[in-house]
Amino acid sequence: MHAFRAFRIRQDDAGYRGRIETVALDDLTPGHVVVRAEWSSVNYKDALAGTGKGKILRTFPLNGGIDVAGTVVQSTDPAYREGDKVLATGSGLSETIDGGYSEYVRLPSVTVIPLPASLTTREAMIIGTAGYTAALALLQMTFNRQSPSMGPIAITGATGGVGMLGIDIFSGAGYEVHAISGKADHFDVLRALGASECVDRHTLAFSGRPMDSARYGGLLDNVGGDTLAGFLPLIAPYGNAAICGLASSPELHTTVMPFIIRGVSVLGVASAGSPRDIREEVWRRLSGDWRPRHLDTICTREVSLDDVAGVFEGMLAGGSFGRTVVRIG
């Protein structure tokens, strides 16, 4: 651990940049648990952070990567011992503390989750923040009385990581899933994951009325903007719209009608800062009854730490399909 490699992001007089550097443990933000990283993943947030196209980092320099899984090599917290397999997602990684694109990661113990016995570190990173977000959305929806009997769940941005894992998780939990995507050439894959119907977003024709015939029991939305506004009038009474992305737009122009007439609820899904007890429950579900069944299909690319920066631009340009995992160790 005297010297190791990390994808480090800087902003100073020389500008904004991210690159592989050699660092030492003392260069990292403080923490209780030192992890030898084995796998990480690439999320939309990582692409924004790595390119500077989104204001993700709150301090500089930091190592990128909001996800990591590996093996404990040092710990001052008795809850974690050398040799333990652990993971961390969100929780300030690559925002206020050094992230997972590093051969070693030092983490506050509150961010560390023991790796469930049914998952490998690689599988945990295929799931990563994307799968955690989809499962957190389902958990919040069930807290608010969502059930399969209310009708199908529409999932927008269905070929992205959250979308594909959402299809797998929701369908495995007994929901009928309708996948909404502009990438019709991938519909066979989405059906194999569990989507009963696939809809080309280019063919969507919303009426523009504040209320329309109820067609969906609920919604998992990754795109925002006009798509989200178009689906809200289609949700059945007391259904839920779980919002977790803004790939199309952060704006929302709608009316209060679906909310005050049908009792539709909008649930914000903020995976990065969820309380520890919620994170533990979500990972318990993800390793149990909500475990994704098609991880090998959902993982569409594996890259090394050296190649991680090459993923960012394509992801930001809308070229994502499935999950990219990063081989660290």
Side-chain angles (χ1 to χ4, degrees), residues 124-139:
M125 291 296 94
I126 297 174
I127 297 171
T129 285
Y132 177 86
T133 299
L136 177 60
L138 178 54
L139 186 67

Side-chain angles (χ1 to χ4, degrees), residues 194-208:
S196 62
E197 186 173 326
C198 295
V199 179
D200 188 335
R201 67 174 173 81
H202 298 110
T203 68
L204 290 174
F206 300 119
S207 71

Side-chain angles (χ1 to χ4, degrees), residues 56-104:
I56 305 301
L57 276 69
R58 302 179 195 173
T59 185
F60 295 88
L62 284 180
N63 297 339
I66 66 172
D67 294 343
V68 69
T71 304
V72 174
V73 294
Q74 288 182 5
S75 176
T76 59
D77 186 328
Y80 301 98
R81 296 177 297 177
E82 183 178 343
D84 287 349
K85 297 288 187 180
V86 296
L87 64 89
T89 58
S91 306
L93 273 72
S94 191
E95 290 186 37
T96 57
I97 61 178
D98 282 297
Y101 295 162
S102 176
E103 292 176 332
Y104 289 90

Side-chain angles (χ1 to χ4, degrees), residues 111-134:
T111 70
V112 180
I113 299 292
L115 182 76
S118 66
L119 295 173
T120 66
T121 52
R122 185 177 185 274
E123 289 171 334
M125 291 296 94
I126 297 174
I127 297 171
T129 285
Y132 177 86
T133 299

Side-chain angles (χ1 to χ4, degrees), residues 213-238:
S213 299
R215 302 179 212 170
Y216 299 100
L219 171 72
L220 174 59
D221 181 64
N222 291 284
V223 301
D226 292 342
T227 300
L228 172 57
F231 272 99
L232 288 173
L234 307 178
I235 298 177
Y238 297 98

